[in-house]
Amino acid sequence: MKITKAVIPAAGLGTRVLPASKALPKEMLPIVDKPAIQYIVEEAAAAGITDILVITNRGKGVIEDHFDHSLELEAMLERRGDEKTLKILNDVANLANVYYVRQKETKGLGDAVLKAKDFVGDSPFAVLYGDDVIIGEKPAVGELCEAYEKYGKSVVGIKEVPDELIVKYSSLSVKTLDSKTYAVSDMIEKPSIEKKLSNYAILGRCVLDSEIFGILEHTPLGAGGELQLTDAMRELAVKKGMIGVDFSGTRYDMGNKFGILKANIEVGLKHPETAEQLKNYLKELADTL
Ligand code: UTP
């Protein structure tokens, strides 16, 4: 079944990147010249997703404005004959049908996803975490959708992470199916090192059966007193089995300060307008460190 709907949770408080995220959602923080959430919407659109629901709270206005036309700016660019910039702006507004709903209380990622129940209906859908930007040749969520189509089971994007990170993420019980695909039979959110199932963690992307909503509705609050998506996904994995895909792109965590710096440097080193200048600058700087 072709996946055409996606949910982007972007209602977290972003406490790790305050004060940058005080008045602006962290999902709007830039990587060189585009806000993080634009990379995510572009990834979804490249994977054939046409309808996207963004879960917001404060800062909803700026996200809505970003994916809308800006008539004033566009008229000004037209007067100046700046076709190139005009096209860039038009392309952003035409990426996908983007809808918005508010999560009124920040009660966790599971609660945010539950807000998408009516939008999703009965079909499988993708979730792209709003602060996880993944850049690669192929859209990561597209790789997950392909696995869903092949195996007919919910899919999570996974990567192997060191011990110091597994305790902050989720840990999965996996069996290898092929070089990048795994069968997932169990998972635990934020385990202690003694309780980890492996060093494979869910990172930023999943494709879920709509059954997840019924499960979320009866899932008790978990780690941090929040409704954890991982706890509901665990029930689905234990009941029906799940697939893990070690996606090919590079993930940047825009929810922490170092992730933001890394994303800007690595993307800046590839951007045609900054690559040369940044490379020379970094080389000079490195000599002084
Ligand atoms: P995080 O756990 O990284 O978000 O959630 P957070 O709560 O903003 O982080 P800190 O610890 O305070 O810095 C991953 C994604 O889920 C969204 C976030 O916006 C982020 O994109 N999220 C999280 C929600 O939409 N609602 C929530 O209640 C929690």
Side-chain angles (χ1 to χ4, degrees):
M1 183 188 254
K2 181 97 195 71
I3 316 285
T4 59
K5 288 184 182 174
V7 177
I8 303 181
L13 296 176
T15 53
R16 285 165 297 154
V17 290
L18 280 170
S21 56
K22 186 179 173 195
L24 189 74
K26 62 180 164 180
E27 290 76 7
M28 284 298 290
L29 295 174
I31 304 178
V32 186
D33 55 1
K34 291 192 270 187
I37 196 168
Q38 185 180 331
Y39 290 88
I40 296 172
V41 171
E42 286 173 348
E43 177 196 327
I49 286 165
T50 52
D51 293 275
I52 297 172
L53 180 72
V54 183
I55 316 292
T56 60
N57 58 14
R58 76 209 187 294
K60 177 177 142 98
V62 285
I63 300 181
E64 274 191 8
D65 288 347
H66 187 74
F67 291 105
D68 194 359
H69 284 285
S70 167
L71 298 180
E72 205 183 324
L73 263 177
E74 287 170 19
M76 189 269 287
L77 292 167
E78 222 167 310
R79 276 200 305 278
R80 287 189 185 168
D82 188 348
E83 295 294 327
K84 191 178 157 213
T85 315
L86 194 58
K87 183 175 177 324
I88 292 173
L89 290 197
N90 268 317
D91 287 351
V92 181
N94 295 323
L95 276 171
N97 301 316
V98 189
Y99 307 91
Y100 305 87
V101 69
R102 271 185 198 251
Q103 181 190 22
K104 291 183 186 150
E105 284 173 80
T106 314
K107 290 195 282 193
L109 184 57
D111 180 70
V113 169
L114 194 48
K115 297 284 173 277
K117 187 180 174 194
D118 291 343
F119 165 81
V120 167
D122 293 334
S123 33
F125 65 105
V127 181
L128 297 92
Y129 301 9
D131 57 353
D132 273 328
V133 171
I134 301 176
I135 296 179
E137 294 275 298
K138 289 177 85 181
V141 74
E143 295 178 318
L144 270 63
C145 289
E146 278 170 22
Y148 185 90
E149 281 157 33
K150 180 168 175 189
Y151 294 97
K153 287 181 186 172
S154 295
V155 185
V156 284
I158 64 173
K159 288 267 170 216
E160 218 169 356
V161 301
D163 277 353
E164 60 269 26
L165 287 183
I166 203 77
V167 294
K168 294 183 187 167
Y169 296 163
S170 52
S171 167
L172 309 179
S173 173
V174 296
K175 249 196 206 129
T176 308
L177 294 176
D178 67 38
S179 60
K180 60 160 201 160
T181 317
Y182 300 79
V184 176
S185 53
D186 201 357
M187 59 185 73
I188 178 170
E189 179 70 18
K190 297 188 177 56
S192 58
I193 280 296
E194 302 73 51
K195 286 199 173 153
K196 74 169 183 182
L197 301 169
S198 76
N199 280 62
Y200 278 98
I202 301 174
L203 290 185
R205 302 289 179 266
C206 42
V207 172
L208 298 170
D209 275 318
S210 56
E211 214 182 316
I212 197 77
F213 296 115
I215 300 176
L216 278 168
E217 278 165 343
H218 69 237
T219 301
L221 300 182
E226 296 192 333
L227 181 52
Q228 296 291 347
L229 182 61
T230 308
D231 294 344
M233 287 199 287
R234 176 178 187 269
E235 190 173 325
L236 207 54
V238 170
K239 244 204 239 162
K240 300 214 156 156
M242 216 178 244
I243 300 296
V245 170
D246 189 344
F247 51 81
S248 54
T250 307
R251 166 196 177 251
Y252 300 104
D253 180 1
M254 295 296 286
N256 76 68
K257 297 175 182 80
F258 186 62
I260 297 171
L261 289 172
K262 227 170 107 178
N264 274 283
I265 292 169
E266 291 189 17
V267 174
L269 282 170
K270 292 200 179 110
H271 192 294
E273 287 173 42
T274 55
E276 234 0 77
Q277 215 180 349
L278 182 60
K279 191 171 78 185
N280 294 335
Y281 168 71
L282 287 177
K283 280 184 179 165
E284 265 175 43
L285 186 68
D287 284 339
T288 68
L289 300 177

